[in-house]
């Protein structure tokens, strides 16, 4: 029968984590146990991701489902998911605090950034478990369909609402380039996450309602599903035919940390380091040289009108192209300047000229712009967070022409987290250029996870990716997401690599998240098609 919440208002808080499990324990102890288990579920699923890849942590998903199955109200269902999500994002995003330690004047913000971001992102996990508690928990074994579908849907929403932050979606648990990761070529990282959660959550059915034979069947099906990810992905990799183009690309990683870059007495040394590495004769003559995002602590306007421009020109030989990240200013209609985080394509055709400019489309909230900026300025919050002016967003991502190389799709830093940002406007690009400034995050897990997430864009599109950062990890990623030559954090040098040819266009590149969304709908229909007589009262729970 349907479960209702008859608790009076003054008992609502006491019911926040109440479940009928552990009936012999006092209520306060019971709620504490549930909270610890929920936190354990979140922490476990977090360490299943690279760079740790402790796959047993995936059992956190069935634990989360089992706890929500026993929640006595939507409220308690929400708090179980929120606590698990907080643990998950605390481990996944703790490195954000590192960025606020670069500038001593901002150091006081580090603990707030390190805790408020996980708290906000955890709302999506809490939303998923709250809706599941209301509509799925207590049903028969098909409730696993409801849980996986709702969790996958809220993951997708996390990547879209308020510009989204798709950091470490469940599908990215599998290291990019591994066999299971290849399924993203068909259903994207969100679809892979849905299949992963659906497969690993089958053990949660063992502790709930349903006949044992049916439970055993679902457990076997879950095992087959996860095994199938490995087998089908391995089959795709076995057919991978890596071919190289004649184009040679030089990736420059100077190992200039973020704080040193902004010291005035270091400016000339930083420029010289980039120039000398770019002109190095240590390898083959490159067709394209790539510098990272925000390579120099100066706008392009100032760089090209000073001694920096000729210095860059001298680093290039005729016919070579430099791709580099610069901020730039542009006069607006009202006379006020607009600022852009941009990728410049500079070609030496006897003299240095700008061949193309790409302006970053997806900006980082509180890093590159302040939401509700007018309000933030009026209340004085802008001065507190040291964001004196907002960057402006460019148009939606589209490929640019690269002299001496195939057309490329630029993705600047944060943009590499987003599936579907590679456009075929004007024809399919031949590769992805991902420039980033991971120096903000030091030698934490952040840069390693960022590389893993960015490499999924190669799998989803079938395009190779060249990634340049100032302090690591800079790398070449092939069209199957496999990371090839790389410069680790703390290394200074160049990588001279031959650009691979693209793989065949993937299903995901053609139709995007449509298969994922269809699968979500089908799972919800399958899981909710039984009437209320199949529901079992939570008062009969363990």
């Amino acid at each position: 029968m349907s479960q209702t919440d008859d608790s009076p208002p003054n008992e609502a808080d006491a019911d926040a984590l109440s479940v009928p499990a552990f009936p012999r324990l006092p209520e306060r102890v019971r709620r504490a146990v549930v909270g610890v288990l929920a936190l354990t579920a979140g922490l476990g699923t977090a360490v299943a991701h690279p760079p740790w890849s402790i796959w047993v942590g995936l059992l956190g998903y069935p634990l989360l489902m089992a706890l929500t199955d026993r929640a006595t109200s939507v409220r308690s269902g929400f708090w179980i998911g929120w606590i698990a999500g907080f643990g998950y994002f605390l481990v996944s995003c703790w490195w954000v605090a590192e960025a606020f330690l670069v500038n001593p004047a901002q150091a006081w913000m580090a603990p707030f950034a390190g805790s408020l971001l996980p708290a906000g992102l955890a709302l999506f996990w809490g939303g998923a478990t709250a809706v599941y508690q209301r509509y799925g928990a207590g049903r028969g074994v098909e409730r696993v369909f409801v849980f996986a579908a709702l969790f996958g849907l809220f993951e997708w929403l996390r990547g879209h609402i308020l510009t989204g932050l798709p950091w470490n979606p469940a599908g990215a648990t599998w290291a990019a380039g591994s066999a299971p990761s290849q399924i993203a070529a068909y259903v994207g990282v969100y679809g892979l996450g849905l299949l992963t959660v659906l497969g690993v959550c089958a053990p949660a059915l063992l502790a709930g309602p349903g006949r044992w034979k049916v439970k055993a069947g679902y457990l076997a099906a879950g095992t087959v599903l996860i095994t199938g990810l490995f087998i089908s992905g391995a089959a795709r990799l076995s057919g991978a035919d890596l071919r190289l183009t004649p184009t040679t690309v030089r990736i420059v990683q100077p190992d200039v940390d973020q704080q040193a870059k902004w010291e005035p007495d270091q400016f000339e040394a930083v420029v010289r380091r980039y120039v000398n590495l770019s002109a190095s004769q240590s390898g083959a003559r490159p067709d394209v040289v790539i510098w990272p995002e925000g390579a120099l602590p100066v706008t392009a306007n100032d760089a090209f009108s000073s001694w920096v421009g000729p210095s860059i020109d001298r680093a290039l030989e005729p016919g070579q192209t430099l791709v580099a990240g610069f901020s730039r200013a542009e006069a607006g209609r009202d006379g006020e300047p607009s600022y852009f985080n941009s990728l410049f394509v500079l070609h030496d055709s006897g003299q240095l000229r700008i061949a193309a400019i790409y302006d970053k489309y997806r900006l980082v909230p509180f890093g590159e712009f302040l939401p509700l900026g007018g309000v933030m300025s009026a209340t004085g919050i802008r001065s507190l967070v040291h964001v004196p002016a907002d960057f402006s967003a460019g148009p939606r991502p589209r490929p640019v022409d690269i002299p001496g190389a195939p057309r490329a799709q630029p993705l600047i830093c944060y943009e590499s987290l987003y599936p579907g940002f590679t456009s075929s406007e004007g024809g399919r690009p031949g590769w992805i250029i991902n420039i980033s400034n991971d120096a903000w995050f030091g030698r934490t897990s952040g840069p390693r996870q960022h590389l893993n997430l960015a490499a999924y864009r190669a799998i989803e599109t079938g395009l190779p990716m060249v990634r340049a950062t100032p302090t690591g990890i800079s790398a070449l990623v092939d069209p199957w997401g496999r990371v090839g030559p790389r410069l680790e954090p703390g290394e200074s040098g160049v990588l001279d690599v031959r650009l691979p040819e693209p793989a065949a266009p993937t299903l995901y590149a053609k139709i995007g998240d449509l298969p994922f969304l269809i699968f979500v709908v089908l799972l919800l229909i399958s899981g909710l098609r039984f009437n209320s007589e199949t529901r079992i009262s939570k008062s009969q729970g363990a």
Side-chain angles (χ1 to χ4, degrees):
M1 61 182 178
S2 300
Q3 179 264 340
T4 60
D5 185 3
D6 297 325
S7 301
N10 60 353
E11 295 181 12
D13 291 338
D15 185 55
L17 286 176
S18 179
V19 296
F22 318 112
R24 296 182 180 180
L25 296 177
E27 181 62 24
R28 289 181 180 274
V29 176
R30 190 188 317 176
R31 292 200 303 272
V33 170
V34 172
V36 169
L37 290 175
L39 185 63
T40 300
L43 296 175
T45 51
V47 298
H49 282 264
W52 306 285
S53 296
I54 304 174
W55 288 352
V56 70
L58 285 169
L59 294 178
Y61 290 116
L63 175 58
L64 177 60
M65 177 179 161
L67 290 172
T68 311
D69 276 334
R70 286 160 178 73
T72 58
S73 68
V74 172
R75 179 192 295 269
S76 57
F78 170 84
W79 283 110
I80 287 170
W82 185 88
I83 291 172
F86 181 79
Y88 180 87
F89 292 111
L90 187 66
V91 172
S92 296
C93 301
W94 70 271
W95 45 265
V96 169
E98 183 80 10
F100 294 89
L101 300 178
V102 173
N103 182 353
Q106 292 181 313
W108 66 272
M109 297 176 60
F112 294 98
S115 57
L116 291 178
L117 179 63
L121 294 177
L123 294 174
F124 290 94
W125 280 43
T129 52
V131 177
Y132 172 71
Q133 194 283 333
R134 175 64 180 83
Y135 295 104
R139 291 180 179 270
V141 289
E142 289 80 8
R143 68 187 184 279
V144 69
F145 297 160
V146 182
F147 182 85
L150 289 173
F151 192 89
L153 180 60
F154 274 81
E155 283 279 87
W156 184 87
L157 291 173
R158 176 165 67 86
H160 290 79
I161 290 178
L162 298 176
T163 75
L165 181 56
W167 189 271
N168 273 8
T173 298
W174 312 109
S178 66
S181 73
Q182 300 305 305
I183 309 307
Y186 309 103
V187 297
V189 72
Y190 294 122
L192 176 57
L194 177 62
L195 294 173
T196 299
V197 173
L198 179 61
V200 301
C201 277
L205 299 173
L206 298 177
R211 291 180 298 172
W212 278 101
K213 288 185 178 180
V214 179
K215 293 179 183 180
Y218 272 76
L219 185 60
T223 303
V224 169
L225 175 56
I226 298 299
T227 303
L229 297 181
F230 282 85
I231 294 175
S232 55
R236 184 172 190 264
L237 287 174
S238 69
D241 183 14
L242 183 63
R243 299 180 180 181
L244 302 179
T245 70
T247 303
T248 298
V249 177
R250 170 167 292 175
I251 308 171
V252 175
Q253 179 173 301
D255 191 32
V256 177
D257 67 59
Q258 192 65 19
Q259 189 169 11
K261 186 174 76 172
W262 288 100
E263 295 177 2
D265 60 346
Q266 295 293 316
F267 177 70
E268 184 173 348
V270 170
V271 174
R272 299 298 180 199
R273 186 177 297 188
Y274 272 103
V275 167
N276 291 339
L277 288 171
S278 300
S280 170
Q281 301 300 313
S282 59
R285 179 187 183 278
D287 301 292
V288 180
V289 178
I290 301 182
W291 292 3
E293 175 194 22
L296 303 179
V298 62
T299 65
N301 311 63
D302 293 334
F304 299 150
S305 62
S306 69
W307 62 271
V308 176
S311 296
I312 295 174
D313 194 8
R314 287 193 295 272
L316 300 178
E317 299 178 15
Q320 289 184 316
T321 297
L322 172 66
V323 177
F326 285 96
S327 60
R328 70 182 184 91
E330 182 179 286
R333 293 181 179 179
D334 57 0
E336 293 296 322
S338 296
Y339 296 95
F340 297 88
N341 184 353
S342 304
L343 175 146
F344 279 74
V345 180
L346 306 171
H347 183 62
D348 190 332
S349 55
Q351 63 179 12
L352 200 64
R353 66 178 180 86
I354 299 174
I357 298 176
Y358 168 87
D359 295 322
K360 189 175 182 181
Y361 167 71
R362 185 55 53 83
L363 302 174
V364 181
F366 299 99
E368 293 172 315
F369 78 100
L370 286 182
L372 303 175
V375 175
M376 296 290 189
S377 297
T379 57
I381 295 178
R382 181 181 293 278
S383 61
L384 288 177
V385 297
H386 300 273
V387 181
D390 292 339
F391 280 100
S392 298
R396 189 167 181 84
R398 61 182 184 275
V400 298
D401 292 324
I402 309 290
R407 297 174 76 239
Q409 174 63 69
L411 295 175
I412 299 178
C413 191
Y414 188 66
E415 293 179 323
S416 66
L417 304 181
Y418 292 84
F421 272 17
T422 299
S423 170
S424 59
E425 180 181 337
R428 188 188 186 208
W431 53 311
I432 297 171
I433 300 176
N434 175 214
I435 60 172
S436 185
N437 184 6
D438 289 1
W440 285 104
F441 310 116
R443 299 187 186 184
T444 64
S445 57
R448 298 186 183 279
Q449 291 182 338
H450 198 179
L451 172 62
N452 184 61
L453 297 171
Y456 266 87
R457 309 294 82 81
I459 302 171
E460 291 167 342
T461 60
L463 298 175
M465 172 183 286
V466 175
R467 189 165 192 270
T469 75
T471 57
I473 303 171
S474 300
L476 172 69
V477 181
D478 76 10
W480 295 271
R482 297 175 296 191
V483 179
R486 58 196 283 170
L487 289 168
E488 296 289 346
E491 291 186 338
S492 174
V494 299
L495 287 176
D496 288 333
V497 295
R498 290 270 298 280
L499 183 66
E501 292 183 357
T506 64
L507 177 65
Y508 184 82
K510 295 176 180 177
I511 59 177
D513 287 324
L514 182 60
F516 160 74
L517 295 172
I518 290 175
F519 197 30
V520 165
V521 172
L522 292 177
L523 286 176
L524 288 174
I525 292 174
S526 299
L528 298 174
R529 65 188 175 89
F530 297 97
N531 61 38
S532 61
E533 292 180 356
T534 66
R535 292 180 60 86
I536 297 180
S537 172
K538 292 183 178 62
S539 64
Q540 298 175 4

